[in-house]
Amino acid sequence: MGKLPTDAEGRARFFLAGTYAVPMGIIVPAQISIWAWDGNHASPLFVARYRVDIGQDTNVRLEGDLLKFRNEHDFNTILPPCDCEVRPFDHLVRIGREGIEDLGEHSLTPELDAVDAFYDRLLHRRSTGDLASAVAVEAGRRIVRDVRQNQPADTTPNATNLGMLQGWHMDVQRGVLCLDTEATGPYLYRLSKSAAGALSIRGIAKADEPCQTQTEAIPGQSQRPR
């Protein structure tokens, strides 16, 4: 429970956040709600359900006029190595004097999201022209062919994932993501950003060594071993 700034009418506001009881697991369902208090009654202004890592260092916090809470998502093609945070988002809600504004979610792993979306389309045989260069698309297709050829005989012939995440690291200065999955091994993805902020893959190359997991990449991320 936390106090929020009063609104233009002088009403006190606060939030309530908590998790649901579950029999097992580190990622658990949670709910947050924002309320206004007029001196006699509490009125709901906002409510959202989400998933939270109970071991994370970052929880609900107010930064300026933004209320932020961490929400965990799954990748489409990459399996997590454990029941722990791998694809975290920050959900932002602006606490304005005139009212509450839901600003939606902001990914904390946009580079991993870009590669995941790229392979999701390749594995489902959809167009990837807006996500990668022609050279990167051809390299990605070769990787997908190798994944399908090397999968165990008792699995579906049209695999739709890259296996478990083994490690990753983002070199921001060079714009290169090192991503290692169980089915592909380590690869380097050269990324570029458009004027609108969209990421695209410009090149793909085999990495010479495994990718080291970058736990410090995500502010407030739990430091449990992967």
Side-chain angles (χ1 to χ4, degrees), residues 34-216:
I34 299 174
W35 302 75
W37 173 255
D38 64 6
N40 293 302
H41 300 92
S43 302
L45 304 175
F46 172 86
V47 64
R49 292 189 65 182
Y50 57 104
R51 301 196 308 164
V52 64
D53 184 328
I54 59 175
Q56 70 187 25
D57 300 321
T58 300
N59 208 321
V60 182
R61 68 274 188 203
L62 183 66
E63 297 179 2
D65 64 348
L66 294 179
L67 184 69
K68 300 181 179 181
F69 55 95
R70 189 64 51 85
N71 190 7
E72 300 299 329
H73 288 259
D74 296 318
F75 289 108
N76 293 315
T77 66
I78 305 169
L79 303 177
C82 58
D83 181 16
C84 52
E85 61 181 347
V86 175
R87 192 188 183 196
F89 283 67
D90 264 347
H91 197 128
L92 280 59
V93 181
R94 175 167 286 121
I95 311 299
R97 284 183 53 79
E98 302 300 328
I100 303 299
E101 182 183 5
D102 185 359
L103 301 179
E105 295 185 322
H106 170 72
S107 174
L108 301 182
T109 57
E111 298 86 5
L112 289 175
D113 295 344
V115 174
D116 178 51
F118 171 68
Y119 279 115
D120 186 44
R121 291 199 196 176
L122 283 179
L123 288 163
H124 290 91
R125 296 179 172 86
R126 298 197 299 265
S127 174
T128 57
D130 60 326
L131 300 180
S133 68
V135 172
V137 170
E138 184 55 37
R141 286 173 176 163
R142 289 196 298 270
I143 293 171
V144 167
R145 284 197 296 269
D146 290 342
V147 168
R148 286 179 167 151
Q149 290 173 0
N150 295 325
Q151 62 185 315
D154 59 348
T155 61
T156 172
N158 293 311
T160 56
N161 68 68
L162 304 179
M164 190 175 295
L165 177 67
Q166 302 296 300
W168 70 277
H169 183 89
M170 182 63 200
D171 187 331
V172 178
Q173 297 298 322
R174 295 171 55 215
V176 175
L177 170 69
C178 184
L179 175 62
D180 186 353
T181 74
E182 185 179 25
T184 67
Y187 274 88
L188 301 176
Y189 298 85
R190 184 164 52 86
L191 304 173
S192 64
K193 184 178 292 187
S194 68
L199 287 170
S200 63
I201 303 171
R202 311 314 301 167
I204 302 175
K206 187 72 175 178
D208 296 329
E209 57 186 25
C211 308
Q212 298 298 316
T213 298
Q214 185 181 1
T215 56
E216 73 277 9

